[in-house]
Amino acid sequence: MTTRPRPREVGIRLGTLPVGPHHAITDVPGVAVGHVSVVEGQRVRTGVTAIRTHGGDPFREKTPAAAFVLNGFGKTCGLPQVAELGVIETPILLTGTLSVPRVADALITWTLRENPDVMSVNPLVGECNDGYLNDIQGRHVRPEHVFAAIDGATGGPVEGGAVGAGVGMTCYGFKGGIGTTSRVVEGFTVGALVLANFGAREELRIDGVPVGRELKDWGEDTPAPRGRADAGGAPGDGSCMIVVGTDAPLDARQLGRLARRGGLGLARTGSVAGHGSGDFILAFSNAQTVPHRPASVVLERRLLAEDGLAITRLFQAVVESVEEAVVDALFRAETTRGRDGHVRHGLPIEPTLDILERHGRLAIS
Amino acid sequence: MTTRPRPREVGIRLGTLPVGPHHAITDVPGVAVGHVSVVEGQRVRTGVTAIRTHGGDPFREKTPAAAFVLNGFGKTCGLPQVAELGVIETPILLTGTLSVPRVADALITWTLRENPDVMSVNPLVGECNDGYLNDIQGRHVRPEHVFAAIDGATGGPVEGGAVGAGVGMTCYGFKGGIGTTSRVVEGFTVGALVLANFGAREELRIDGVPVGRELKDWGEDTPAPRGRADAGGAPGDGSCMIVVGTDAPLDARQLGRLARRGGLGLARTGSVAGHGSGDFILAFSNAQTVPHRPASVVLERRLLAEDGLAITRLFQAVVESVEEAVVDALFRAETTRGRDGHVRHGLPIEPTLDILERHGRLAIS
Amino acid sequence: MTTRPRPREVGIRLGTLPVGPHHAITDVPGVAVGHVSVVEGQRVRTGVTAIRTHGGDPFREKTPAAAFVLNGFGKTCGLPQVAELGVIETPILLTGTLSVPRVADALITWTLRENPDVMSVNPLVGECNDGYLNDIQGRHVRPEHVFAAIDGATGGPVEGGAVGAGVGMTCYGFKGGIGTTSRVVEGFTVGALVLANFGAREELRIDGVPVGRELKDWGEDTPAPRGRADAGGAPGDGSCMIVVGTDAPLDARQLGRLARRGGLGLARTGSVAGHGSGDFILAFSNAQTVPHRPASVVLERRLLAEDGLAITRLFQAVVESVEEAVVDALFRAETTRGRDGHVRHGLPIEPTLDILERHGRLAIS
Amino acid sequence: MTTRPRPREVGIRLGTLPVGPHHAITDVPGVAVGHVSVVEGQRVRTGVTAIRTHGGDPFREKTPAAAFVLNGFGKTCGLPQVAELGVIETPILLTGTLSVPRVADALITWTLRENPDVMSVNPLVGECNDGYLNDIQGRHVRPEHVFAAIDGATGGPVEGGAVGAGVGMTCYGFKGGIGTTSRVVEGFTVGALVLANFGAREELRIDGVPVGRELKDWGEDTPAPRGRADAGGAPGDGSCMIVVGTDAPLDARQLGRLARRGGLGLARTGSVAGHGSGDFILAFSNAQTVPHRPASVVLERRLLAEDGLAITRLFQAVVESVEEAVVDALFRAETTRGRDGHVRHGLPIEPTLDILERHGRLAIS
């Protein structure tokens, strides 16, 4: 468990909306997160993260959802059925790029274990490329890792940084990984969890301050970060998986509107969604589930009215949560050594806070 | 190998455009198809089919492509990156629904074998649900099956019916599976290959004749066909994967236009794209490939002009090819017995031809 | 008023679902249709058709809707907001291509008349190109025509053929225009209204019978039909606007699913959605409206469950209705003479029925 | 002509890429911009802005283009055909919301004047809602204004702020309107022009500094800005039209990638793309045009290779240009009085610069 601070603990205030109790996607009632880190020897630095959208069976009680693909250079599986039916029917899994199929297969096995009659299920697995630190070709995430991440998922505080799917990730040239937070607005909660693995160092902005440019020469002289090491090595390569959850009663079309705002939060941290960066946003609402076997032809649903302020405030909550989740990942991720002597340094906290203070951006400075 | 006739051999003429030499997607120069049928004991009735888009390495020489999702109740993986980058970088694999992740994983392994430095690749795998005849939960397609399908792919005649991914499929209440044909138009070839696993018997039309209604009571009293057996058992459930290839010089946007016509071909055979039918169309052009490592910043490309007749004729070729490919699958697929005593009968050829002749639809009658 | 028969009156049975009382989109309770034909001198052959989705004010009570663009070579206005908000807020207007802006402007005026405080409204206007018969450049549809079409809209029987927006249209080389019908299924009604202006004569199929090929040389030797006369004159050019309405409680995502089936109905009549054919499908549900000023933050909604047979039957109803609506347009449209001596002949009824009878496709033959 | 400074003139440096000579979209060779302001009496505060994509005839030489709709609460017309064919065939016009149809109609007239044989043309008109300052219901933009904007378009310096379509616009609670700039990268130029009419004052950020929060109480006590005054009056309502041009050889798919980055630039200025804000991005490339009547079936094209750094740098150029164009609009727009005593104040330059200097964000401070 990291002892590095979270951004709010050191006076960083991103946006203006109030935050939920755990500063995590789990502030949305019913949402649970589980991580399994897979760290073996010198070369294996990977893992898997599971997000459960509610406390029930995800297949029998499907969750309204929608995705937006800001930049589709990525291998996420499961999206066409989400687009068609507007629901997800498994936990949401995150992992390293080349492990997507094995995690998806394990997710099928897990579903069959819970629902032995199932003959068709849509596993939803997102990814970023952890190949700089991890022996990605080895595909080291095994079914038991997946089961443990799902079955061990809990509400409450969520570990962040170099944990679960985040073990091998890189963000803005520093160690990246898992970040999360939430906002409370109009009586609803919006939470975001990101798997952050993108960006060139000089692009990084925290609360609008160009921290990355000032830290450009910090640390030893490592090669340029390249999340997608085979893709040309362009600055800004990598990926970001963004999961947004809420208990506001939204249907798939409305959740698609939330998803499209996810990129705006990324942009506030400096991202231009570089060519090689698979930037995917998935948004779900657990206000109501959709039964696999409906008891009647017509369902009764509650739906947020789209006139007036409420929906815009939810958009704002998405933008602020995503922005802060990225910064949370950077603050919490510790320096990690991986394959072939590759090292990714954690964002240096003190220099970063110095820069922010100099720009007048610390709430408690 | 089936001895059942192909539709053209018995006088069926769908559409008006000329056909290529093999009546197959392999009439597009460079395209190759490989099947591996996986048939074991009483319960395993599945397989895998590989389509290679050109004779070179699919990763180093990527193929322009686009998809259209007519009905996204399906688990095809790889589409977001196709949408973003407009290319595919692996062979196109088809299999049973729950085997998609294992086939995708094998496709990664195959790619790494050919290109040991790859750290990111987008496996493209489509599926239909063969759960009526096959122990689908067992996921019996193994890596060696995938490698054999890819490595054994050839040009020339293409086996059809209950072969490869088609072993366990059902179409319009009869045995379905693989069908293919082509059209030659404006100096270019358009080919289609379908994995046909959809439709209720009474919906079937051949060359506009409502054959299915007339054959409604043919054969023993089997339960209603249910491709997606867990999805409510609605008539018309199932899926259809459609792959369209051409050597016309088209870019991804234009290929998307071709893909959208695939559903029109399906419709001619009677489909209404039922709720549970994952109907996906993928279109590719091998007129020019896109190098993984371009030698220059600007590429020279040829592009079909969209004014005038040529593009409409390509659309027509798609519609006719898809229509005929579905009928080809039905004609070639032999009666198959599978798990738990389930039987799917091949379309009865003579009664079908009688019906068509009665409606004046046989060219040589 | 035409005295030509509608297809059902002469024994044509397209599909198998039961039809509503008026064989029209107005069989959906609350839906009304109004036509104004604009025929002046030798050169003006155009008009406008209005579809009202319910009996109330369309702006204050918005109607859930979605569109699918099968082929976007068209000038329909209003679709981006429909995609975002999932509602329409004006009557749906149809007219000739170059008249879209003037009709949209009149629709704004009409909305302001009904709701004097409105400062933003999304006029929804579809079009086909009537330039073969009509002086299209003259843009002869005036505001009073638009108001009369909207204010005169009624339920009950709907005029078809060369009326309203259909006055100058061409379909499969014959006189085209307005066609409509409905289906009753699962306790709901689905209706379709088309503005048919597409296709080459040899493509036409009626109930699967290649009527167009048999009628290829019927009538005088007119030039090939060219709905979009400036677009290269390719066979198959033109357009088709399809409006689908229902009283089934569907949200925008589900209506999008219905809209995607519209093209399947077109395909059954022979269309390949040629390059120059702007084929747009708009689907709406008036089961519940969305208030412009909601009384509460959360609305109560009813929603069709998507498991089981009901939604597939609605899809089938769309396919059958669209297919029949196109044939209805052809049957009802009378021979029309327009600008510069151009003539478009009505489909010859007797020869057509002879062909259908010969193929055993007439119910009462 | 405003005497207010542009942001670069007072030391604001947004992003890191070099700027073209005019800090305008006209830095893309061949691009021209024309404004006509329509200001009459106390109530008419509107106008029209035309962007010509190259020096030739826009219909005979079509321009590759693509759009992204970040938030579709808007009335832009012409997008479906752009999506289908990947080209635009008229100048791009911007105006006030309810004037879109009249401007589109004038654009048809203009096209017919230049090309008397045209029977189908796709007018492309974007809009924001200037109803706070302007008698928007009056639709005061007339054909002669449109012709003058198009025919008077020139390269070189571009007027900004309260000019042309920008006359009546509001941005972040201050006077908004037209802003523009460019970036030069990899030997290509990328330019952006925005019609800025969105945002609540407290959202505004300039170079990451929360200027809006500090200026919250600046100026007299005006009601909250409401671009879309009928839409609930939510903070953040309004719209932003973004036009991105480049001379890099990009096809429609690639231009769609650029368009999706436009929202990231907006986000940097503080926008969350509020519910009522119709945020549309149109991107075009004039590196090569597409002839209306191609001379051959196959065209030769140049296409930017998407491997490596170049495309990411173009993305960065889009983000930086859009960010700066919004700030440019704010800096240049002068206080404007309109209908019913409504006043929108120009961003106060000195207080703004003081804030930026205090945060260490002025290059020459």
Side-chain angles (χ1 to χ4, degrees):
Chain A
M1 179 82 74
T2 179
T3 57
R4 295 164 58 99
R6 301 187 68 183
R8 291 221 160 223
E9 295 167 3
V10 290
I12 294 173
R13 295 287 175 273
L14 301 171
T16 58
L17 296 172
V19 183
H22 302 295
H23 301 190
I25 195 172
T26 50
D27 291 329
V28 181
V31 174
V33 174
H35 297 299
V36 170
S37 302
V38 182
V39 177
E40 299 162 5
Q42 303 303 311
R43 296 182 55 77
V44 180
R45 296 290 181 277
T46 190
V48 60
T49 292
I51 301 170
R52 304 191 66 159
T53 57
H54 60 72
D57 180 88
F59 188 82
R60 288 192 297 268
E61 294 294 327
K62 303 181 198 298
T63 306
F68 170 62
V69 180
L70 173 60
N71 188 41
F73 199 148
K75 283 74 182 175
T76 294
C77 74
L79 297 190
Q81 186 162 318
V82 172
E84 184 73 35
L85 301 181
V87 290
I88 56 180
E89 58 186 18
T90 66
I92 304 161
L93 274 285
L94 306 176
T95 191
T97 305
L98 296 186
S99 290
V100 166
R102 293 190 184 179
V103 170
D105 189 60
L107 196 41
I108 292 173
T109 302
W110 183 89
T111 299
L112 296 179
R113 191 188 79 190
E114 304 291 312
N115 292 278
D117 293 337
V118 165
M119 296 177 67
S120 176
V121 61
N122 182 45
L124 189 55
V125 186
E127 53 79 33
C128 296
N129 194 306
D130 52 16
Y132 181 75
L133 292 172
N134 178 47
D135 168 31
I136 192 169
Q137 295 185 332
R139 289 163 279 171
H140 296 284
V141 179
R142 294 187 295 275
E144 58 265 30
H145 300 137
V146 174
F147 305 153
I150 300 173
D151 296 332
T154 58
V158 172
E159 269 192 275
V163 64
V167 164
M169 301 300 169
T170 293
C171 187
Y172 289 121
F174 296 106
K175 185 70 193 72
I178 299 288
T180 187
T181 195
S182 69
R183 293 292 185 272
V184 180
V185 56
E186 304 280 320
F188 304 114
T189 299
V190 171
L193 183 146
V194 303
L195 178 61
N197 186 53
F198 66 95
R201 188 182 285 186
E202 60 269 27
E203 294 175 324
L204 173 62
R205 283 171 172 260
I206 298 180
D207 199 11
V209 176
V211 169
R213 270 183 257 166
E214 301 209 18
L215 291 176
K216 190 157 68 89
D217 301 318
W218 182 90
E220 88 282 55
D221 206 77
T222 50
R226 303 188 307 169
R228 209 170 291 271
D230 67 310
D237 271 10
S239 285
C240 194
M241 295 298 310
I242 299 173
V243 180
V244 171
T246 186
D247 58 355
L250 303 176
D251 68 13
R253 178 184 54 77
Q254 294 173 319
L255 289 164
R257 303 187 77 193
L258 264 64
R260 282 201 292 285
R261 270 70 187 179
L264 307 185
L266 269 192
R268 288 188 174 189
T269 70
S271 173
V272 301
H275 166 64
S277 189
D279 296 329
F280 290 68
I281 303 106
L282 182 80
F284 69 83
S285 164
N286 65 8
Q288 312 156 95
T289 56
V290 177
H292 181 63
R293 296 272 182 241
S296 60
V297 172
V298 175
L299 307 172
E300 301 288 327
R301 311 290 294 175
R302 290 178 304 120
L303 191 71
L304 189 82
E306 260 161 307
D307 182 55
L309 194 55
I311 189 89
T312 293
R313 284 288 181 239
L314 293 174
F315 295 164
Q316 181 183 355
V318 171
V319 176
E320 291 191 6
S321 294
V322 171
E323 178 187 16
E324 184 167 323
V326 170
V327 177
D328 187 51
L330 286 166
F331 265 73
R332 296 168 85 182
E334 293 189 308
T335 298
T336 301
R337 290 169 190 280
R339 71 172 176 95
D340 304 323
H342 288 187
V343 178
R344 198 60 79 203
H345 286 273
L347 178 79
I349 303 288
E350 285 309 317
T352 298
L353 296 178
D354 286 349
I355 295 165
L356 292 171
E357 186 166 25
R358 235 187 311 120
H359 287 80
R361 307 299 309 135
L362 286 193
I364 57 177
S365 61
Chain B
M1 178 84 70
T2 179
T3 57
R4 295 164 58 99
R6 301 187 69 184
R8 291 222 160 221
E9 295 168 2
V10 289
I12 295 173
R13 295 286 175 273
L14 301 170
T16 58
L17 296 173
V19 183
H22 302 294
H23 302 190
I25 196 172
T26 50
D27 291 329
V28 181
V31 175
V33 174
H35 298 300
V36 170
S37 303
V38 181
V39 178
E40 299 164 2
Q42 302 302 313
R43 295 181 56 76
V44 180
R45 297 289 181 276
T46 191
V48 60
T49 293
I51 301 171
R52 303 191 67 159
T53 56
H54 60 73
D57 180 87
F59 187 81
R60 287 193 298 269
E61 294 294 327
K62 303 182 198 297
T63 305
F68 171 62
V69 180
L70 173 60
N71 188 41
F73 199 147
K75 284 73 181 173
T76 295
C77 74
L79 296 190
Q81 187 162 316
V82 172
E84 184 74 33
L85 302 181
V87 291
I88 55 180
E89 57 186 21
T90 67
I92 303 161
L93 274 285
L94 305 175
T95 190
T97 305
L98 297 186
S99 289
V100 167
R102 293 189 185 179
V103 170
D105 189 59
L107 196 41
I108 292 173
T109 303
W110 184 87
T111 300
L112 296 179
R113 191 188 79 191
E114 304 290 313
N115 291 277
D117 292 337
V118 165
M119 296 178 67
S120 176
V121 61
N122 183 45
L124 189 55
V125 186
E127 53 79 34
C128 296
N129 194 307
D130 52 16
Y132 182 74
L133 293 173
N134 178 48
D135 169 30
I136 191 169
Q137 295 185 332
R139 289 164 278 172
H140 296 284
V141 179
R142 293 187 297 275
E144 57 266 30
H145 299 137
V146 175
F147 305 154
I150 300 172
D151 296 332
T154 57
V158 172
E159 271 192 274
V163 64
V167 164
M169 302 299 169
T170 293
C171 187
Y172 289 120
F174 296 107
K175 185 71 192 75
I178 299 289
T180 187
T181 194
S182 68
R183 293 292 184 273
V184 180
V185 55
E186 304 282 320
F188 304 114
T189 299
V190 172
L193 183 146
V194 303
L195 178 62
N197 186 54
F198 66 95
R201 187 181 287 186
E202 61 269 26
E203 295 174 324
L204 173 63
R205 284 171 172 260
I206 297 180
D207 200 12
V209 177
V211 169
R213 269 184 258 166
E214 301 210 17
L215 291 177
K216 190 156 68 88
D217 301 318
W218 182 89
E220 88 282 57
D221 207 78
T222 50
R226 302 188 307 168
R228 208 172 290 273
D230 68 310
D237 270 9
S239 285
C240 193
M241 296 297 311
I242 299 173
V243 179
V244 172
T246 186
D247 58 355
L250 303 176
D251 67 13
R253 179 185 54 76
Q254 293 173 319
L255 289 163
R257 303 187 76 192
L258 264 64
R260 282 202 292 283
R261 271 69 186 179
L264 306 185
L266 269 191
R268 288 188 175 188
T269 69
S271 173
V272 302
H275 167 63
S277 187
D279 296 328
F280 290 68
I281 303 106
L282 182 79
F284 68 85
S285 164
N286 65 8
Q288 313 157 94
T289 57
V290 176
H292 182 63
R293 295 272 183 241
S296 60
V297 173
V298 175
L299 306 172
E300 302 287 329
R301 311 290 294 175
R302 291 178 303 122
L303 192 71
L304 189 81
E306 261 161 304
D307 182 55
L309 194 56
I311 189 91
T312 293
R313 285 287 181 239
L314 292 174
F315 295 164
Q316 182 183 355
V318 171
V319 176
E320 291 190 6
S321 295
V322 171
E323 178 187 16
E324 184 167 322
V326 170
V327 177
D328 187 51
L330 286 165
F331 265 72
R332 296 169 86 183
E334 293 189 308
T335 297
T336 300
R337 289 169 191 279
R339 71 172 176 94
D340 302 324
H342 288 188
V343 179
R344 198 60 79 201
H345 287 272
L347 179 79
I349 303 287
E350 285 309 319
T352 298
L353 295 179
D354 287 349
I355 296 165
L356 291 171
E357 186 165 25
R358 234 187 310 122
H359 286 79
R361 307 298 310 132
L362 285 194
I364 56 178
S365 61
Chain C
M1 179 82 73
T2 178
T3 56
R4 293 164 59 100
R6 302 187 68 184
R8 292 219 159 224
E9 295 168 2
V10 289
I12 295 173
R13 295 286 175 272
L14 301 171
T16 58
L17 297 173
V19 183
H22 301 295
H23 302 191
I25 196 171
T26 50
D27 291 329
V28 181
V31 174
V33 174
H35 297 299
V36 169
S37 302
V38 182
V39 178
E40 298 163 3
Q42 303 301 314
R43 296 182 54 78
V44 180
R45 296 288 181 276
T46 190
V48 61
T49 292
I51 301 171
R52 304 192 65 159
T53 57
H54 61 72
D57 180 87
F59 187 81
R60 288 193 297 269
E61 294 294 327
K62 303 181 197 296
T63 306
F68 171 61
V69 180
L70 172 61
N71 189 41
F73 200 146
K75 284 73 180 173
T76 295
C77 75
L79 297 189
Q81 186 162 317
V82 172
E84 184 74 35
L85 302 181
V87 290
I88 53 180
E89 58 187 19
T90 66
I92 303 160
L93 275 284
L94 305 176
T95 191
T97 305
L98 297 187
S99 290
V100 167
R102 293 190 185 179
V103 170
D105 188 60
L107 196 41
I108 292 173
T109 303
W110 183 87
T111 300
L112 296 179
R113 189 189 80 190
E114 304 290 312
N115 292 277
D117 292 337
V118 165
M119 296 178 66
S120 177
V121 60
N122 183 44
L124 188 55
V125 186
E127 53 80 31
C128 295
N129 194 308
D130 52 14
Y132 182 74
L133 292 173
N134 178 47
D135 168 31
I136 192 169
Q137 295 185 332
R139 289 164 279 171
H140 297 283
V141 179
R142 293 188 296 274
E144 59 265 31
H145 300 138
V146 175
F147 305 154
I150 300 172
D151 296 332
T154 57
V158 172
E159 270 192 276
V163 63
V167 164
M169 302 299 169
T170 293
C171 186
Y172 289 121
F174 296 106
K175 185 69 193 75
I178 299 288
T180 186
T181 193
S182 68
R183 293 294 185 270
V184 181
V185 56
E186 304 282 319
F188 304 114
T189 299
V190 172
L193 183 146
V194 302
L195 178 61
N197 186 53
F198 66 96
R201 187 181 287 186
E202 59 269 29
E203 294 175 323
L204 173 63
R205 282 170 173 263
I206 297 180
D207 200 10
V209 177
V211 169
R213 270 184 259 165
E214 302 210 18
L215 290 177
K216 190 155 68 86
D217 301 318
W218 182 89
E220 89 280 57
D221 207 79
T222 50
R226 303 187 307 168
R228 210 171 289 274
D230 68 312
D237 270 10
S239 286
C240 194
M241 296 299 310
I242 299 174
V243 179
V244 172
T246 185
D247 59 354
L250 303 176
D251 68 12
R253 179 185 54 76
Q254 295 173 318
L255 289 164
R257 302 187 78 193
L258 264 65
R260 282 201 292 284
R261 270 70 186 178
L264 307 185
L266 268 193
R268 288 189 175 188
T269 68
S271 173
V272 301
H275 167 63
S277 187
D279 296 329
F280 290 68
I281 303 107
L282 182 80
F284 69 84
S285 163
N286 65 9
Q288 312 156 93
T289 57
V290 177
H292 181 64
R293 295 273 182 238
S296 60
V297 173
V298 175
L299 307 172
E300 302 288 328
R301 310 292 292 176
R302 291 177 304 120
L303 192 70
L304 189 81
E306 259 160 307
D307 182 54
L309 194 54
I311 188 91
T312 293
R313 284 288 180 241
L314 292 174
F315 295 164
Q316 181 183 354
V318 171
V319 176
E320 291 190 6
S321 296
V322 171
E323 179 187 13
E324 184 167 320
V326 170
V327 177
D328 187 51
L330 286 165
F331 265 73
R332 296 168 86 181
E334 293 188 309
T335 297
T336 301
R337 292 168 189 279
R339 69 170 176 97
D340 303 323
H342 288 188
V343 178
R344 197 61 78 202
H345 285 273
L347 179 78
I349 303 288
E350 285 309 317
T352 297
L353 295 178
D354 287 349
I355 295 165
L356 291 171
E357 187 165 26
R358 236 187 309 122
H359 286 79
R361 309 297 309 132
L362 284 195
I364 56 178
S365 62
Chain D
M1 180 83 73
T2 178
T3 57
R4 294 164 59 99
R6 302 187 67 183
R8 292 221 159 221
E9 295 168 1
V10 289
I12 295 173
R13 295 286 175 273
L14 301 170
T16 58
L17 297 173
V19 184
H22 302 295
H23 301 189
I25 196 171
T26 49
D27 291 330
V28 181
V31 174
V33 174
H35 297 299
V36 169
S37 302
V38 181
V39 178
E40 299 163 3
Q42 303 301 314
R43 297 182 53 78
V44 180
R45 297 288 180 277
T46 190
V48 61
T49 292
I51 301 171
R52 303 191 67 158
T53 56
H54 60 72
D57 180 89
F59 188 81
R60 288 193 298 267
E61 294 294 326
K62 303 181 198 296
T63 305
F68 170 61
V69 180
L70 173 61
N71 188 43
F73 200 147
K75 283 74 181 174
T76 295
C77 74
L79 297 189
Q81 186 162 319
V82 173
E84 185 73 34
L85 301 181
V87 290
I88 55 180
E89 57 187 19
T90 66
I92 303 161
L93 274 284
L94 306 175
T95 190
T97 304
L98 297 186
S99 290
V100 167
R102 294 191 184 179
V103 170
D105 188 61
L107 196 41
I108 291 173
T109 303
W110 184 87
T111 300
L112 296 179
R113 190 190 77 190
E114 304 291 312
N115 292 277
D117 293 336
V118 165
M119 296 178 65
S120 176
V121 60
N122 182 45
L124 188 54
V125 185
E127 53 78 33
C128 295
N129 194 307
D130 52 15
Y132 182 74
L133 292 174
N134 178 48
D135 169 31
I136 191 169
Q137 296 186 331
R139 291 165 277 172
H140 297 284
V141 179
R142 294 188 296 274
E144 59 266 30
H145 300 137
V146 175
F147 305 154
I150 301 172
D151 297 331
T154 57
V158 172
E159 270 192 275
V163 64
V167 163
M169 302 299 169
T170 293
C171 187
Y172 289 122
F174 296 106
K175 185 70 194 71
I178 299 288
T180 187
T181 193
S182 68
R183 293 291 185 273
V184 180
V185 56
E186 305 280 318
F188 304 115
T189 298
V190 172
L193 183 146
V194 303
L195 178 62
N197 185 53
F198 66 96
R201 187 182 287 187
E202 59 269 27
E203 294 175 322
L204 173 62
R205 282 170 174 261
I206 297 180
D207 199 11
V209 176
V211 169
R213 268 184 259 165
E214 302 209 18
L215 290 177
K216 190 157 68 86
D217 302 318
W218 182 89
E220 89 281 55
D221 207 79
T222 51
R226 302 189 308 168
R228 210 170 290 272
D230 68 311
D237 271 10
S239 287
C240 193
M241 296 299 310
I242 299 174
V243 179
V244 172
T246 186
D247 58 355
L250 302 176
D251 68 13
R253 179 184 53 76
Q254 295 173 318
L255 289 164
R257 303 187 77 192
L258 263 64
R260 282 201 292 286
R261 271 67 187 180
L264 307 184
L266 269 191
R268 288 189 174 187
T269 69
S271 173
V272 301
H275 166 64
S277 187
D279 295 329
F280 290 68
I281 303 106
L282 182 81
F284 69 84
S285 164
N286 65 8
Q288 311 156 94
T289 57
V290 176
H292 182 62
R293 296 273 183 239
S296 60
V297 172
V298 175
L299 306 172
E300 302 287 328
R301 310 291 294 175
R302 290 177 305 121
L303 192 70
L304 190 81
E306 259 162 307
D307 182 55
L309 193 54
I311 189 90
T312 293
R313 285 288 180 240
L314 291 174
F315 295 165
Q316 181 182 353
V318 171
V319 176
E320 292 190 4
S321 295
V322 171
E323 179 187 15
E324 185 168 321
V326 170
V327 177
D328 187 50
L330 286 166
F331 265 73
R332 295 168 87 180
E334 292 189 308
T335 297
T336 301
R337 290 167 192 280
R339 71 172 175 95
D340 303 323
H342 288 188
V343 179
R344 198 61 78 202
H345 286 273
L347 179 77
I349 303 288
E350 284 309 317
T352 297
L353 295 179
D354 286 349
I355 295 165
L356 291 171
E357 186 165 26
R358 238 189 306 122
H359 286 79
R361 308 298 310 133
L362 286 194
I364 56 176
S365 62

